[in-house]
Amino acid sequence: METVKTRFAPSPTGRMHVGNLRTALYSYLIAKHAGGRFMLRIEDTDQERFREDALDIIYRTMAGTGLEHDEGPDKDGGVGPYIQSERCKQGIYMKYAKQLVEQGDAYYCFCDKERLSSLKRIVAGKEISAYDKHCLHLSKAEIQANLDAGKPFVIRVNMPEEGTTSFHDEIYGDITVDNAELDDMILIKSDGYPTYNFANVVDDHLMGITHVVRGNEYLSSTPKYNHLYEAFGWKIPEYIHCPLITNEEGQKLSKRSGHSSFEDLLEQGFLKDAIVNFVALLGWSPAGEREIFSLPELVETFDYRRINKSPAVFDMTKLKWMNGEYIKAMDEEEFYKMALPYIKETVPETMDLRKIAAMVKTRIQVLPDIRDHIDFFAAVPDYDVSLFKNKKSKNTPENSLKILQDTLPMLENAPAFDNDTLFDILKPYVSESGLKLNTVMHPLRIALSGKTVTPAGATGIMEVIGKEETVSRIKAAIEKLQNEIQLRTDRSNRT
């Protein structure tokens, strides 16, 4: 039985798009699920767009996401080089292009830009730019004369003009295309480099690729690929075309969205494992309701036949939820290391930063959320006394003032200032006053944080900020309430 072998073949032109990451992931999962091999190939034939830093991004992303390749530029598997520019220098693509020319399946084209720009034809009621096979009819003598004169040329495939071409895709099924719609695409460019399409076919065959995973935008190009495979007499690989990824408005996910690349998402505080899990579900549906999968679990579960045809929506709400689940499951020490930079931005280092990290761990969805949850530790934001009013806990500004005045001496005289001790000090007051615990804690929380929702209860906040700051904040709240109540009394008297 043939060993399954897939490849991820990115072009180093910028940040790694989510769609490219999905292609890498699906290629990896297909190979590993079948006990096969996963290869990395660098497609850098577009030298004008090549970026050195993009190469680093590719290697960093593959390592960070756990998509470890079995062979590639840094792991020789016997079919290298694994970088197309290096393969080009060895003359691999020109050799096979000339073979097609000799067979009559390709030809030299010497047309200049002016002539090419004038070529138009009607196909299926639409005007398209398409080559008219002009240079196909040059004599051998004319071709040789042009070559001897150093005239710039490209090599084009000679596509049939009549009939149809059919192919099978594992996701979209059998597809038939009119040959009249297929242009004589360029195989070798005027700079001597192969085009993306031609290099793919040659390399996939020579490197033993059995399953090709790519976006469905390449469906229309597949008949051209197959024509090349057939011209060489090579076996056609299995095709797995993945659905389009759209934003929530149904438009193709683009750089303008602000989260189209893996690096964008990392910068926005998403975890690598959560991103991989989420990307796996962009077009693939596992059996059952489960949605959280580790990479080894994905390898075990992944069946490419469950990839959908319809567009996959990049649902940011779902990604945030999933990321929050991964944060909750993180090791405490690992989370502390990741949270620390965000905590240090907001909180004085004299406070117990580990306690603060533990407080927010189950409350955030992305790491930058930490800032908004803990900003009050540094200083209480300006707040309105209306926050003291709460129907659920039956608080009013008046009873909140009394609670703060009653509990302040207890806290000032606390023998220790840890959460448990402080809670034990306040518990008798709750019983003796006949108030509910929430009624007592609500005004303390507001006084300490200026917020109705905090990552810890009142006594947890007290422990972190310490006795001096606790007393200072409660006194400030008492004064704030007294002033507001006095203002109301004065207004009432005037009326």
Side-chain angles (χ1 to χ4, degrees):
M1 186 176 175
E2 185 180 36
T3 300
V4 170
K5 186 176 182 183
T6 63
R7 49 77 170 169
F8 176 48
S11 298
T13 57
R15 291 191 157 195
M16 189 180 289
H17 190 275
V18 167
N20 288 342
L21 177 59
R22 184 183 64 176
T23 298
L25 176 59
Y26 285 5
S27 299
Y28 174 87
L29 294 176
I30 288 168
K32 295 304 171 184
H33 182 78
R37 293 178 64 77
F38 173 59
M39 186 187 81
L40 174 65
R41 182 173 73 224
I42 303 299
E43 300 194 341
D44 61 345
T45 56
D46 189 347
Q47 290 289 292
E48 289 183 6
R49 296 177 63 215
F50 173 80
R51 279 176 45 181
E52 190 70 42
D53 65 322
L55 265 178
D56 296 334
I57 289 172
I58 291 167
Y59 288 119
R60 219 168 39 236
T61 302
M62 300 295 282
T65 55
L67 304 182
E68 185 177 349
H69 49 280
D70 299 298
E71 57 183 285
D74 54 342
K75 294 181 182 179
D76 187 10
V79 293
Y82 295 86
I83 299 175
Q84 283 187 339
S85 58
E86 293 179 13
R87 296 173 71 77
C88 190
K89 289 172 186 174
Q90 293 185 355
I92 293 173
Y93 307 113
M94 186 62 80
K95 169 190 168 184
Y96 284 99
K98 287 182 177 179
Q99 179 183 327
L100 292 177
V101 171
E102 290 168 9
Q103 294 174 191
D105 293 302
Y107 57 94
Y108 290 98
C109 175
F110 301 94
C111 292
D112 56 28
K113 289 182 180 179
E114 286 72 28
R115 184 176 190 281
L116 293 173
S117 64
S118 69
L119 298 176
K120 302 283 184 185
R121 64 174 165 151
I122 305 298
V123 175
K126 294 181 181 178
E127 185 180 68
I128 62 170
S129 296
Y131 191 63
D132 61 357
K133 294 183 181 285
H134 172 76
C135 289
L136 174 64
H137 307 295
L138 295 177
S139 68
K140 286 186 178 180
E142 288 174 305
I143 293 169
Q144 193 58 52
N146 284 336
L147 293 174
D148 292 342
K151 192 170 183 179
F153 68 87
V154 299
I155 296 179
R156 292 180 180 273
V157 67
N158 182 18
M159 293 297 297
E161 294 180 276
E162 298 178 350
T164 60
T165 298
S166 298
F167 68 95
H168 179 76
D169 178 76
E170 290 295 312
I171 310 304
Y172 290 86
D174 295 323
I175 297 174
T176 300
V177 177
D178 287 332
N179 289 334
E181 297 178 20
L182 304 178
D183 188 24
D184 285 4
M185 68 177 179
I186 294 171
L187 306 181
I188 301 293
K189 297 179 286 187
S190 57
D191 62 3
Y193 274 84
T195 57
Y196 172 86
N197 293 327
F198 184 54
N200 259 275
V201 169
V202 172
D203 288 345
D204 284 347
H205 170 73
L206 296 180
M207 292 175 161
I209 302 304
T210 63
H211 292 67
V212 172
V213 182
R214 59 189 178 213
N216 67 1
E217 66 268 26
Y218 292 104
L219 274 170
S220 61
S221 303
T222 302
K224 299 178 185 179
Y225 295 139
N226 287 2
H227 182 75
L228 293 173
Y229 278 108
E230 289 166 355
F232 283 121
W234 295 342
K235 182 180 178 181
I236 296 171
E238 300 289 338
Y239 291 117
I240 299 153
H241 286 89
C242 304
L244 180 70
I245 301 175
T246 72
N247 60 22
E248 288 158 317
E249 286 74 48
Q251 301 163 326
K252 184 177 179 180
L253 193 67
S254 69
K255 292 179 181 179
R256 289 189 298 275
S257 71
H259 52 258
S260 66
S261 78
F262 179 67
E263 292 72 30
D264 290 338
L265 296 172
L266 290 180
E267 289 171 1
Q268 290 165 26
F270 291 95
L271 305 179
K272 293 174 184 177
D273 290 345
I275 297 170
V276 169
N277 190 161
F278 177 76
V279 168
L281 300 177
L282 286 175
W284 172 74
S285 302
E289 300 298 317
R290 183 180 171 191
E291 293 188 293
I292 304 294
F293 294 89
S294 66
L295 186 58
E297 289 168 338
L298 284 170
V299 169
E300 184 180 347
T301 308
F302 193 80
D303 179 357
Y304 67 78
R305 294 168 189 84
R306 294 187 64 87
I307 295 174
N308 304 313
K309 297 178 185 178
S310 55
V313 179
F314 192 104
D315 184 343
M316 182 57 80
T317 300
K318 183 172 181 178
L319 174 56
K320 285 183 176 179
W321 165 80
M322 185 172 284
N323 200 67
E325 294 301 301
Y326 271 85
I327 288 175
K328 288 174 189 173
M330 280 181 78
D331 172 78
E332 299 291 338
E333 185 63 26
E334 184 184 2
F335 175 73
Y336 175 66
K337 288 176 182 176
M338 296 192 78
L340 193 56
Y342 299 93
I343 296 173
K344 282 184 174 181
E345 285 179 29
T346 313
V347 176
E349 292 192 42
T350 52
M351 293 183 182
D352 191 332
L353 306 188
R354 284 185 181 276
K355 277 195 173 69
I356 293 173
M359 287 177 183
V360 298
K361 184 169 180 283
T362 60
R363 294 175 174 267
I364 63 169
Q365 291 188 317
V366 290
L367 294 169
D369 287 351
I370 292 171
R371 300 186 190 105
D372 290 338
H373 280 278
I374 66 172
D375 56 357
F376 67 87
F377 279 110
V380 179
D382 188 32
Y383 64 92
D384 194 275
V385 293
S386 61
L387 291 183
F388 286 102
K389 189 174 182 178
N390 186 291
K391 284 185 179 180
K392 190 174 181 181
S393 61
K394 297 182 179 178
N395 283 107
T396 64
E398 287 75 16
N399 75 354
S400 293
L401 174 59
K402 186 174 189 316
I403 289 167
L404 294 179
Q405 289 172 328
D406 289 347
T407 55
L408 179 59
M410 302 174 195
L411 299 172
E412 287 177 311
N413 296 315
F417 226 73
D418 60 275
N419 182 69
D420 292 343
T421 301
L422 294 167
F423 192 79
D424 288 341
I425 288 171
L426 293 172
K427 202 156 55 171
Y429 174 74
V430 173
S431 300
E432 292 163 10
S433 65
L435 299 172
K436 291 185 177 179
L437 181 63
N438 284 350
T439 307
V440 173
M441 293 301 181
H442 178 75
L444 286 168
R445 185 197 298 268
I446 303 299
L448 297 167
S449 68
K451 297 185 176 188
T452 56
V453 178
T454 54
T459 52
I461 296 170
M462 292 177 198
E463 179 179 0
V464 171
I465 66 176
K467 181 186 284 190
E468 185 179 341
E469 184 66 16
T470 295
V471 169
S472 174
R473 293 186 182 191
I474 292 176
K475 284 182 176 178
I478 289 171
E479 184 178 352
K480 194 179 188 81
L481 281 165
Q482 286 174 331
N483 290 339
E484 177 63 24
I485 291 169
Q486 186 60 52
L487 277 172
R488 284 193 205 165
T489 303
D490 291 346
R491 284 194 210 106
S492 177
N493 290 338
R494 284 199 296 271
T495 58

